[in-house]
Amino acid sequence: KTGSKTTFWPDPEIFETTVFDFNTLQNRLREMAFLNKGIKITFKDEREGQKKSETYHYEGGLKEYAAFLNRNKDALHKDVIYFEVAKETCEVEVAMQYTDSYSENILGYANNINTTDGGTHLVGFKSALTRVINDYGKRSKLLKENEDPLSGDDVREGLTAIISVKLAEPQFEGQTKAKLGNSEIRGFVDNATSQYLME
């Protein structure tokens, strides 16, 4: 009864191909539903011979996203670690879970845009994670004082994490918006991550 409707028809004089790929749209719409907890997206393909419909709705948001990404892995802890912090002009939301995998899978988003080349939000998260785990290791006598601290690669092994920031004036590097450049976001994400992981 309320809302907006947008219709888009690709111009073959501008676009090389005007045939939409179901899987590409499916992945992006599912991603949007994970990033905006509670939103409901219904995706219908009404092309002849390809008719199908899917609905994406995740009340758990990023927590469910982390679990979805780890669905074929063995998680080392059942509950996904999750926190969100907001201040006047920005907010950060983080979900993370360790698995028995050797590789890391860290995704960053700024205003729902996948920052595939990283940026200041991911730098802040990674530095806080490494520092907190090393500090805890020393305080708990799990790491000896004269030993080298754990490296960032060490503490991220097997980690699946989604870091999503929302900010009023994002500064992206490059045309594709693949990297976030806002310097203040680094400290904001670092502080939020440190506080919640210490707890």
Side-chain angles (χ1 to χ4, degrees):
K1 292 184 178 181
T2 64
S4 302
K5 181 175 182 179
T6 303
T7 304
F8 173 77
W9 199 258
D11 185 340
E13 291 182 18
I14 297 172
F15 295 97
E16 289 178 21
T17 178
T18 57
V19 179
F20 292 105
D21 180 60
F22 183 88
N23 291 333
T24 300
L25 292 171
Q26 176 189 46
N27 290 337
R28 179 58 179 152
L29 294 172
R30 183 190 300 123
E31 185 180 68
M32 291 294 287
F34 279 129
L35 290 166
N36 300 280
K37 61 184 167 194
I39 194 173
K40 184 177 180 183
I41 298 174
T42 302
F43 176 38
K44 294 179 184 177
D45 190 341
E46 297 180 343
R47 295 175 291 188
E48 210 51 55
Q50 300 182 62
K51 291 188 185 286
K52 53 185 153 185
S53 175
E54 293 190 5
T55 299
Y56 310 111
H57 178 224
Y58 307 103
E59 286 296 334
L62 294 192
K63 285 175 83 168
E64 288 189 58
Y65 196 3
F68 173 79
L69 293 172
N70 289 338
R71 66 194 179 281
N72 297 322
K73 299 175 187 170
D74 290 325
L76 299 183
H77 48 97
K78 187 177 143 239
D79 293 334
V80 174
I81 298 167
Y82 173 83
F83 60 89
E84 61 181 314
V85 177
K87 65 177 191 179
E88 309 85 48
T89 58
C90 56
E91 61 184 69
V92 61
E93 198 177 352
V94 174
M96 54 187 282
Q97 185 179 45
Y98 280 95
T99 69
D100 62 356
S101 168
Y102 289 106
S103 58
E104 65 180 71
N105 184 14
I106 298 179
L107 302 176
Y109 295 89
N111 292 3
N112 290 339
I113 296 168
N114 187 346
T115 50
T116 52
D117 292 342
T120 52
H121 54 326
L122 293 188
V123 172
F125 171 77
K126 290 176 181 179
S127 63
L129 177 69
T130 305
R131 186 177 61 253
V132 167
I133 289 180
N134 275 302
D135 288 350
Y136 178 81
K138 285 179 184 166
R139 274 199 329 276
S140 305
K141 306 283 190 261
L142 297 168
L143 297 172
K144 294 182 176 66
E145 287 296 328
N146 58 348
E147 281 183 336
D148 287 338
L150 297 172
S151 71
D153 289 338
D154 291 334
V155 301
R156 294 191 307 270
E157 184 177 303
L159 176 65
T160 295
I162 305 108
I163 298 88
S164 176
V165 294
K166 297 208 167 70
L167 58 165
E169 295 182 33
Q171 297 164 0
F172 294 102
E173 296 176 18
Q175 293 267 180
T176 57
K177 298 185 176 181
K179 189 172 185 178
L180 184 67
N182 295 66
S183 58
E184 73 280 5
I185 285 295
R186 176 180 176 167
F188 175 60
V189 173
D190 188 315
N191 290 337
T193 303
S194 295
Q195 179 187 339
Y196 280 84
L197 290 184
M198 291 291 279
E199 290 174 11

